[in-house]
Amino acid sequence: MVMTTTTSALPQPAGTPAPSPVLAMPPAAPADAAAYFAARLAFHTDVADVQASLAAGATDFVVVDSRSTPSWDQGHIPGAVHLPTAQIPRLAAEFLDPAVPVVVHCWGPGCDGATRAALALARLGYRVKEMIGGIEYWIREGYAVDTWEGPRQLPADPLTAPVGSDDCGC
């Protein structure tokens, strides 16, 4: 993909204020932006779309939780497959159908575990997306998890999820 942008290094007419930090690096050309965002959506999905799809009975993908067993036991998405990242090369074929796309997640946005798991799965030939937000945002948005003690659901965090609506407005 060839990216084209204009440069902020062009001389500014006298008296013209410098660009804000937001525009110190100008936005990409619209065609480049469209290509980038389309590609990004091919690699990522979010917890709201995963939850809505699962709630509607979707069977066209499988959710893989790449965290450790103690983390899995603490709480996981109902119906998810537990496949810790280090075990993917050895166990993926046992638990996953190569014809079914995989949505992988780990702890949350501060963790690269899902990215590592997605890379391992892609190298094995699986079509894979990373669920941004991970289990952290699944729980923060008020969705149920299964734990070693049984199902659990916390109220949605009003700073991360819409209050009184199932629609984020996205």
PDB file of all heavy atoms in Angstrom, residues 3-41:
ATOM      1  N   MET A   3       1.311   5.088   0.662  1.00  0.00           N
ATOM      2  CA  MET A   3       0.663   6.127   1.448  1.00  0.00           C
ATOM      3  C   MET A   3       1.121   7.478   0.927  1.00  0.00           C
ATOM      4  O   MET A   3       2.305   7.691   0.704  1.00  0.00           O
ATOM      5  CB  MET A   3       1.031   6.012   2.934  1.00  0.00           C
ATOM      6  CG  MET A   3       0.669   4.684   3.571  1.00  0.00           C
ATOM      7  SD  MET A   3      -1.072   4.482   3.853  1.00  0.00           S
ATOM      8  CE  MET A   3      -1.317   5.572   5.227  1.00  0.00           C
ATOM      9  N   THR A   4       0.172   8.377   0.748  1.00  0.00           N
ATOM     10  CA  THR A   4       0.515   9.728   0.334  1.00  0.00           C
ATOM     11  C   THR A   4      -0.041  10.696   1.365  1.00  0.00           C
ATOM     12  O   THR A   4      -1.162  10.548   1.826  1.00  0.00           O
ATOM     13  CB  THR A   4      -0.071  10.069  -1.052  1.00  0.00           C
ATOM     14  OG1 THR A   4      -1.484   9.904  -1.013  1.00  0.00           O
ATOM     15  CG2 THR A   4       0.519   9.182  -2.127  1.00  0.00           C
ATOM     16  N   THR A   5       0.777  11.640   1.747  1.00  0.00           N
ATOM     17  CA  THR A   5       0.336  12.686   2.666  1.00  0.00           C
ATOM     18  C   THR A   5       0.978  13.973   2.223  1.00  0.00           C
ATOM     19  O   THR A   5       1.950  13.982   1.477  1.00  0.00           O
ATOM     20  CB  THR A   5       0.757  12.406   4.120  1.00  0.00           C
ATOM     21  OG1 THR A   5       2.175  12.306   4.177  1.00  0.00           O
ATOM     22  CG2 THR A   5       0.113  11.137   4.659  1.00  0.00           C
ATOM     23  N   THR A   6       0.404  15.035   2.705  1.00  0.00           N
ATOM     24  CA  THR A   6       1.061  16.316   2.486  1.00  0.00           C
ATOM     25  C   THR A   6       1.991  16.518   3.660  1.00  0.00           C
ATOM     26  O   THR A   6       1.903  15.846   4.667  1.00  0.00           O
ATOM     27  CB  THR A   6       0.026  17.454   2.407  1.00  0.00           C
ATOM     28  OG1 THR A   6      -0.724  17.448   3.622  1.00  0.00           O
ATOM     29  CG2 THR A   6      -0.898  17.272   1.219  1.00  0.00           C
ATOM     30  N   THR A   7       2.883  17.449   3.550  1.00  0.00           N
ATOM     31  CA  THR A   7       3.840  17.662   4.624  1.00  0.00           C
ATOM     32  C   THR A   7       3.584  18.988   5.314  1.00  0.00           C
ATOM     33  O   THR A   7       3.220  19.968   4.671  1.00  0.00           O
ATOM     34  CB  THR A   7       5.292  17.588   4.112  1.00  0.00           C
ATOM     35  OG1 THR A   7       6.163  17.880   5.204  1.00  0.00           O
ATOM     36  CG2 THR A   7       5.566  18.561   2.987  1.00  0.00           C
ATOM     37  N   SER A   8       3.766  19.014   6.608  1.00  0.00           N
ATOM     38  CA  SER A   8       3.599  20.257   7.345  1.00  0.00           C
ATOM     39  C   SER A   8       4.883  21.070   7.314  1.00  0.00           C
ATOM     40  O   SER A   8       4.956  22.125   7.918  1.00  0.00           O
ATOM     41  CB  SER A   8       3.178  19.961   8.791  1.00  0.00           C
ATOM     42  OG  SER A   8       4.164  19.188   9.429  1.00  0.00           O
ATOM     43  N   ALA A   9       5.899  20.551   6.627  1.00  0.00           N
ATOM     44  CA  ALA A   9       7.168  21.261   6.557  1.00  0.00           C
ATOM     45  C   ALA A   9       7.144  22.369   5.506  1.00  0.00           C
ATOM     46  O   ALA A   9       8.124  23.067   5.341  1.00  0.00           O
ATOM     47  CB  ALA A   9       8.294  20.287   6.263  1.00  0.00           C
ATOM     48  N   LEU A  10       6.041  22.523   4.801  1.00  0.00           N
ATOM     49  CA  LEU A  10       5.951  23.596   3.812  1.00  0.00           C
ATOM     50  C   LEU A  10       6.008  24.946   4.518  1.00  0.00           C
ATOM     51  O   LEU A  10       5.511  25.084   5.637  1.00  0.00           O
ATOM     52  CB  LEU A  10       4.652  23.478   3.013  1.00  0.00           C
ATOM     53  CG  LEU A  10       4.505  22.222   2.151  1.00  0.00           C
ATOM     54  CD1 LEU A  10       3.119  22.183   1.511  1.00  0.00           C
ATOM     55  CD2 LEU A  10       5.578  22.200   1.083  1.00  0.00           C
ATOM     56  N   PRO A  11       6.589  25.929   3.880  1.00  0.00           N
ATOM     57  CA  PRO A  11       6.662  27.243   4.515  1.00  0.00           C
ATOM     58  C   PRO A  11       5.254  27.784   4.785  1.00  0.00           C
ATOM     59  O   PRO A  11       4.354  27.646   3.970  1.00  0.00           O
ATOM     60  CB  PRO A  11       7.388  28.110   3.492  1.00  0.00           C
ATOM     61  CG  PRO A  11       7.935  27.184   2.459  1.00  0.00           C
ATOM     62  CD  PRO A  11       7.190  25.898   2.578  1.00  0.00           C
ATOM     63  N   GLN A  12       5.082  28.368   5.967  1.00  0.00           N
ATOM     64  CA  GLN A  12       3.808  28.975   6.353  1.00  0.00           C
ATOM     65  C   GLN A  12       3.878  30.473   6.057  1.00  0.00           C
ATOM     66  O   GLN A  12       4.909  31.097   6.285  1.00  0.00           O
ATOM     67  CB  GLN A  12       3.561  28.768   7.858  1.00  0.00           C
ATOM     68  CG  GLN A  12       3.457  27.319   8.287  1.00  0.00           C
ATOM     69  CD  GLN A  12       2.123  26.712   7.882  1.00  0.00           C
ATOM     70  OE1 GLN A  12       1.104  27.376   7.857  1.00  0.00           O
ATOM     71  NE2 GLN A  12       2.148  25.440   7.536  1.00  0.00           N
ATOM     72  N   PRO A  13       2.793  31.022   5.532  1.00  0.00           N
ATOM     73  CA  PRO A  13       2.785  32.479   5.343  1.00  0.00           C
ATOM     74  C   PRO A  13       3.000  33.180   6.688  1.00  0.00           C
ATOM     75  O   PRO A  13       2.599  32.674   7.743  1.00  0.00           O
ATOM     76  CB  PRO A  13       1.387  32.763   4.796  1.00  0.00           C
ATOM     77  CG  PRO A  13       0.878  31.449   4.286  1.00  0.00           C
ATOM     78  CD  PRO A  13       1.575  30.396   5.089  1.00  0.00           C
ATOM     79  N   ALA A  14       3.645  34.325   6.662  1.00  0.00           N
ATOM     80  CA  ALA A  14       3.905  35.083   7.888  1.00  0.00           C
ATOM     81  C   ALA A  14       2.587  35.324   8.625  1.00  0.00           C
ATOM     82  O   ALA A  14       1.562  35.637   8.011  1.00  0.00           O
ATOM     83  CB  ALA A  14       4.576  36.415   7.546  1.00  0.00           C
ATOM     84  N   GLY A  15       2.614  35.156   9.924  1.00  0.00           N
ATOM     85  CA  GLY A  15       1.425  35.401  10.735  1.00  0.00           C
ATOM     86  C   GLY A  15       0.478  34.218  10.829  1.00  0.00           C
ATOM     87  O   GLY A  15      -0.505  34.269  11.553  1.00  0.00           O
ATOM     88  N   THR A  16       0.769  33.140  10.076  1.00  0.00           N
ATOM     89  CA  THR A  16      -0.075  31.945  10.142  1.00  0.00           C
ATOM     90  C   THR A  16       0.380  31.109  11.322  1.00  0.00           C
ATOM     91  O   THR A  16       1.571  30.821  11.452  1.00  0.00           O
ATOM     92  CB  THR A  16       0.051  31.130   8.843  1.00  0.00           C
ATOM     93  OG1 THR A  16      -0.301  31.946   7.739  1.00  0.00           O
ATOM     94  CG2 THR A  16      -0.833  29.893   8.892  1.00  0.00           C
ATOM     95  N   PRO A  17      -0.562  30.723  12.191  1.00  0.00           N
ATOM     96  CA  PRO A  17      -0.148  29.921  13.340  1.00  0.00           C
ATOM     97  C   PRO A  17       0.346  28.538  12.900  1.00  0.00           C
ATOM     98  O   PRO A  17      -0.088  28.011  11.880  1.00  0.00           O
ATOM     99  CB  PRO A  17      -1.422  29.806  14.186  1.00  0.00           C
ATOM    100  CG  PRO A  17      -2.550  30.129  13.268  1.00  0.00           C
ATOM    101  CD  PRO A  17      -1.987  30.985  12.168  1.00  0.00           C
ATOM    102  N   ALA A  18       1.259  27.997  13.676  1.00  0.00           N
ATOM    103  CA  ALA A  18       1.755  26.642  13.415  1.00  0.00           C
ATOM    104  C   ALA A  18       0.603  25.663  13.581  1.00  0.00           C
ATOM    105  O   ALA A  18      -0.332  25.924  14.346  1.00  0.00           O
ATOM    106  CB  ALA A  18       2.882  26.312  14.380  1.00  0.00           C
ATOM    107  N   PRO A  19       0.642  24.530  12.881  1.00  0.00           N
ATOM    108  CA  PRO A  19      -0.436  23.560  13.046  1.00  0.00           C
ATOM    109  C   PRO A  19      -0.465  23.016  14.476  1.00  0.00           C
ATOM    110  O   PRO A  19       0.557  22.969  15.153  1.00  0.00           O
ATOM    111  CB  PRO A  19      -0.106  22.459  12.043  1.00  0.00           C
ATOM    112  CG  PRO A  19       1.329  22.642  11.711  1.00  0.00           C
ATOM    113  CD  PRO A  19       1.667  24.073  11.967  1.00  0.00           C
ATOM    114  N   SER A  20      -1.641  22.615  14.896  1.00  0.00           N
ATOM    115  CA  SER A  20      -1.795  22.008  16.215  1.00  0.00           C
ATOM    116  C   SER A  20      -1.030  20.692  16.255  1.00  0.00           C
ATOM    117  O   SER A  20      -0.696  20.128  15.205  1.00  0.00           O
ATOM    118  CB  SER A  20      -3.273  21.741  16.487  1.00  0.00           C
ATOM    119  OG  SER A  20      -3.744  20.713  15.630  1.00  0.00           O
ATOM    120  N   PRO A  21      -0.771  20.177  17.439  1.00  0.00           N
ATOM    121  CA  PRO A  21      -0.121  18.862  17.519  1.00  0.00           C
ATOM    122  C   PRO A  21      -0.916  17.784  16.785  1.00  0.00           C
ATOM    123  O   PRO A  21      -0.331  16.850  16.250  1.00  0.00           O
ATOM    124  CB  PRO A  21      -0.062  18.590  19.029  1.00  0.00           C
ATOM    125  CG  PRO A  21      -0.031  19.948  19.653  1.00  0.00           C
ATOM    126  CD  PRO A  21      -0.913  20.797  18.763  1.00  0.00           C
ATOM    127  N   VAL A  22      -2.229  17.930  16.710  1.00  0.00           N
ATOM    128  CA  VAL A  22      -3.054  16.946  16.002  1.00  0.00           C
ATOM    129  C   VAL A  22      -2.701  16.923  14.523  1.00  0.00           C
ATOM    130  O   VAL A  22      -2.662  15.874  13.892  1.00  0.00           O
ATOM    131  CB  VAL A  22      -4.553  17.263  16.189  1.00  0.00           C
ATOM    132  CG1 VAL A  22      -5.422  16.425  15.269  1.00  0.00           C
ATOM    133  CG2 VAL A  22      -4.960  17.092  17.645  1.00  0.00           C
ATOM    134  N   LEU A  23      -2.421  18.083  13.957  1.00  0.00           N
ATOM    135  CA  LEU A  23      -2.150  18.158  12.516  1.00  0.00           C
ATOM    136  C   LEU A  23      -0.681  18.390  12.186  1.00  0.00           C
ATOM    137  O   LEU A  23      -0.349  18.685  11.040  1.00  0.00           O
ATOM    138  CB  LEU A  23      -3.027  19.228  11.875  1.00  0.00           C
ATOM    139  CG  LEU A  23      -4.529  18.941  11.928  1.00  0.00           C
ATOM    140  CD1 LEU A  23      -5.312  20.072  11.270  1.00  0.00           C
ATOM    141  CD2 LEU A  23      -4.867  17.614  11.292  1.00  0.00           C
ATOM    142  N   ALA A  24       0.200  18.245  13.175  1.00  0.00           N
ATOM    143  CA  ALA A  24       1.629  18.355  12.893  1.00  0.00           C
ATOM    144  C   ALA A  24       2.026  17.321  11.851  1.00  0.00           C
ATOM    145  O   ALA A  24       2.883  17.555  11.015  1.00  0.00           O
ATOM    146  CB  ALA A  24       2.442  18.187  14.169  1.00  0.00           C
ATOM    147  N   MET A  25       1.391  16.148  11.902  1.00  0.00           N
ATOM    148  CA  MET A  25       1.489  15.147  10.838  1.00  0.00           C
ATOM    149  C   MET A  25       0.119  15.173  10.183  1.00  0.00           C
ATOM    150  O   MET A  25      -0.864  14.777  10.795  1.00  0.00           O
ATOM    151  CB  MET A  25       1.793  13.761  11.394  1.00  0.00           C
ATOM    152  CG  MET A  25       1.729  12.657  10.342  1.00  0.00           C
ATOM    153  SD  MET A  25       2.867  12.843   8.968  1.00  0.00           S
ATOM    154  CE  MET A  25       4.415  12.475   9.760  1.00  0.00           C
ATOM    155  N   PRO A  26       0.016  15.666   8.972  1.00  0.00           N
ATOM    156  CA  PRO A  26      -1.301  15.812   8.324  1.00  0.00           C
ATOM    157  C   PRO A  26      -1.999  14.471   8.107  1.00  0.00           C
ATOM    158  O   PRO A  26      -1.347  13.433   8.009  1.00  0.00           O
ATOM    159  CB  PRO A  26      -0.965  16.444   6.972  1.00  0.00           C
ATOM    160  CG  PRO A  26       0.426  16.958   7.094  1.00  0.00           C
ATOM    161  CD  PRO A  26       1.104  16.129   8.138  1.00  0.00           C
ATOM    162  N   PRO A  27      -3.313  14.498   8.022  1.00  0.00           N
ATOM    163  CA  PRO A  27      -4.060  13.271   7.740  1.00  0.00           C
ATOM    164  C   PRO A  27      -3.679  12.703   6.370  1.00  0.00           C
ATOM    165  O   PRO A  27      -3.271  13.431   5.472  1.00  0.00           O
ATOM    166  CB  PRO A  27      -5.517  13.711   7.734  1.00  0.00           C
ATOM    167  CG  PRO A  27      -5.551  15.059   8.362  1.00  0.00           C
ATOM    168  CD  PRO A  27      -4.184  15.654   8.181  1.00  0.00           C
ATOM    169  N   ALA A  28      -3.837  11.417   6.243  1.00  0.00           N
ATOM    170  CA  ALA A  28      -3.577  10.743   4.967  1.00  0.00           C
ATOM    171  C   ALA A  28      -4.617  11.179   3.937  1.00  0.00           C
ATOM    172  O   ALA A  28      -5.711  11.631   4.285  1.00  0.00           O
ATOM    173  CB  ALA A  28      -3.635   9.235   5.157  1.00  0.00           C
ATOM    174  N   ALA A  29      -4.279  10.990   2.704  1.00  0.00           N
ATOM    175  CA  ALA A  29      -5.229  11.240   1.621  1.00  0.00           C
ATOM    176  C   ALA A  29      -6.433  10.319   1.815  1.00  0.00           C
ATOM    177  O   ALA A  29      -6.290   9.206   2.338  1.00  0.00           O
ATOM    178  CB  ALA A  29      -4.560  10.975   0.271  1.00  0.00           C
ATOM    179  N   PRO A  30      -7.629  10.749   1.427  1.00  0.00           N
ATOM    180  CA  PRO A  30      -8.829   9.931   1.660  1.00  0.00           C
ATOM    181  C   PRO A  30      -8.726   8.493   1.148  1.00  0.00           C
ATOM    182  O   PRO A  30      -9.141   7.565   1.843  1.00  0.00           O
ATOM    183  CB  PRO A  30      -9.931  10.714   0.946  1.00  0.00           C
ATOM    184  CG  PRO A  30      -9.473  12.132   1.020  1.00  0.00           C
ATOM    185  CD  PRO A  30      -7.974  12.059   0.863  1.00  0.00           C
ATOM    186  N   ALA A  31      -8.178   8.282  -0.024  1.00  0.00           N
ATOM    187  CA  ALA A  31      -8.067   6.911  -0.548  1.00  0.00           C
ATOM    188  C   ALA A  31      -7.138   6.071   0.327  1.00  0.00           C
ATOM    189  O   ALA A  31      -7.407   4.898   0.587  1.00  0.00           O
ATOM    190  CB  ALA A  31      -7.585   6.922  -1.991  1.00  0.00           C
ATOM    191  N   ASP A  32      -6.037   6.659   0.784  1.00  0.00           N
ATOM    192  CA  ASP A  32      -5.114   5.942   1.667  1.00  0.00           C
ATOM    193  C   ASP A  32      -5.774   5.650   3.013  1.00  0.00           C
ATOM    194  O   ASP A  32      -5.600   4.569   3.578  1.00  0.00           O
ATOM    195  CB  ASP A  32      -3.837   6.746   1.882  1.00  0.00           C
ATOM    196  CG  ASP A  32      -2.990   6.846   0.628  1.00  0.00           C
ATOM    197  OD1 ASP A  32      -3.114   5.971  -0.255  1.00  0.00           O
ATOM    198  OD2 ASP A  32      -2.207   7.804   0.534  1.00  0.00           O
ATOM    199  N   ALA A  33      -6.526   6.608   3.532  1.00  0.00           N
ATOM    200  CA  ALA A  33      -7.227   6.407   4.799  1.00  0.00           C
ATOM    201  C   ALA A  33      -8.257   5.286   4.655  1.00  0.00           C
ATOM    202  O   ALA A  33      -8.370   4.421   5.529  1.00  0.00           O
ATOM    203  CB  ALA A  33      -7.894   7.703   5.253  1.00  0.00           C
ATOM    204  N   ALA A  34      -8.990   5.281   3.553  1.00  0.00           N
ATOM    205  CA  ALA A  34      -9.996   4.225   3.337  1.00  0.00           C
ATOM    206  C   ALA A  34      -9.320   2.858   3.269  1.00  0.00           C
ATOM    207  O   ALA A  34      -9.804   1.889   3.874  1.00  0.00           O
ATOM    208  CB  ALA A  34     -10.789   4.502   2.064  1.00  0.00           C
ATOM    209  N   ALA A  35      -8.199   2.752   2.588  1.00  0.00           N
ATOM    210  CA  ALA A  35      -7.488   1.478   2.490  1.00  0.00           C
ATOM    211  C   ALA A  35      -6.978   1.034   3.861  1.00  0.00           C
ATOM    212  O   ALA A  35      -7.099  -0.133   4.236  1.00  0.00           O
ATOM    213  CB  ALA A  35      -6.322   1.589   1.502  1.00  0.00           C
ATOM    214  N   TYR A  36      -6.443   1.964   4.629  1.00  0.00           N
ATOM    215  CA  TYR A  36      -5.929   1.637   5.962  1.00  0.00           C
ATOM    216  C   TYR A  36      -7.055   1.153   6.873  1.00  0.00           C
ATOM    217  O   TYR A  36      -6.930   0.119   7.534  1.00  0.00           O
ATOM    218  CB  TYR A  36      -5.239   2.855   6.583  1.00  0.00           C
ATOM    219  CG  TYR A  36      -4.968   2.668   8.056  1.00  0.00           C
ATOM    220  CD1 TYR A  36      -3.850   1.952   8.480  1.00  0.00           C
ATOM    221  CD2 TYR A  36      -5.823   3.179   9.022  1.00  0.00           C
ATOM    222  CE1 TYR A  36      -3.602   1.747   9.829  1.00  0.00           C
ATOM    223  CE2 TYR A  36      -5.589   2.979  10.370  1.00  0.00           C
ATOM    224  CZ  TYR A  36      -4.473   2.275  10.771  1.00  0.00           C
ATOM    225  OH  TYR A  36      -4.237   2.078  12.108  1.00  0.00           O
ATOM    226  N   PHE A  37      -8.159   1.896   6.931  1.00  0.00           N
ATOM    227  CA  PHE A  37      -9.235   1.529   7.852  1.00  0.00           C
ATOM    228  C   PHE A  37      -9.935   0.240   7.417  1.00  0.00           C
ATOM    229  O   PHE A  37     -10.342  -0.562   8.264  1.00  0.00           O
ATOM    230  CB  PHE A  37     -10.220   2.685   8.032  1.00  0.00           C
ATOM    231  CG  PHE A  37      -9.596   3.831   8.784  1.00  0.00           C
ATOM    232  CD1 PHE A  37      -9.441   5.074   8.186  1.00  0.00           C
ATOM    233  CD2 PHE A  37      -9.139   3.668  10.087  1.00  0.00           C
ATOM    234  CE1 PHE A  37      -8.857   6.124   8.875  1.00  0.00           C
ATOM    235  CE2 PHE A  37      -8.543   4.711  10.781  1.00  0.00           C
ATOM    236  CZ  PHE A  37      -8.402   5.946  10.172  1.00  0.00           C
ATOM    237  N   ALA A  38     -10.040   0.000   6.131  1.00  0.00           N
ATOM    238  CA  ALA A  38     -10.594  -1.276   5.666  1.00  0.00           C
ATOM    239  C   ALA A  38      -9.682  -2.421   6.084  1.00  0.00           C
ATOM    240  O   ALA A  38     -10.149  -3.469   6.553  1.00  0.00           O
ATOM    241  CB  ALA A  38     -10.788  -1.255   4.149  1.00  0.00           C
ATOM    242  N   ALA A  39      -8.379  -2.230   5.942  1.00  0.00           N
ATOM    243  CA  ALA A  39      -7.424  -3.259   6.358  1.00  0.00           C
ATOM    244  C   ALA A  39      -7.498  -3.469   7.865  1.00  0.00           C
ATOM    245  O   ALA A  39      -7.477  -4.611   8.338  1.00  0.00           O
ATOM    246  CB  ALA A  39      -6.009  -2.868   5.945  1.00  0.00           C
ATOM    247  N   ARG A  40      -7.616  -2.399   8.615  1.00  0.00           N
ATOM    248  CA  ARG A  40      -7.689  -2.527  10.079  1.00  0.00           C
ATOM    249  C   ARG A  40      -8.896  -3.366  10.487  1.00  0.00           C
ATOM    250  O   ARG A  40      -8.812  -4.215  11.372  1.00  0.00           O
ATOM    251  CB  ARG A  40      -7.750  -1.148  10.722  1.00  0.00           C
ATOM    252  CG  ARG A  40      -7.647  -1.191  12.225  1.00  0.00           C
ATOM    253  CD  ARG A  40      -7.578   0.227  12.803  1.00  0.00           C
ATOM    254  NE  ARG A  40      -7.334   0.198  14.224  1.00  0.00           N
ATOM    255  CZ  ARG A  40      -8.264  -0.011  15.152  1.00  0.00           C
ATOM    256  NH1 ARG A  40      -9.513  -0.225  14.797  1.00  0.00           N
ATOM    257  NH2 ARG A  40      -7.963  -0.009  16.431  1.00  0.00           N
ATOM    258  N   LEU A  41     -10.037  -3.142   9.838  1.00  0.00           N
ATOM    259  CA  LEU A  41     -11.236  -3.910  10.156  1.00  0.00           C
ATOM    260  C   LEU A  41     -11.099  -5.378   9.751  1.00  0.00           C
ATOM    261  O   LEU A  41     -11.786  -6.239  10.300  1.00  0.00           O
ATOM    262  CB  LEU A  41     -12.468  -3.281   9.517  1.00  0.00           C
ATOM    263  CG  LEU A  41     -12.891  -1.942  10.136  1.00  0.00           C
ATOM    264  CD1 LEU A  41     -13.977  -1.282   9.293  1.00  0.00           C
ATOM    265  CD2 LEU A  41     -13.338  -2.118  11.576  1.00  0.00           C
TER     266      LEU A  41
END
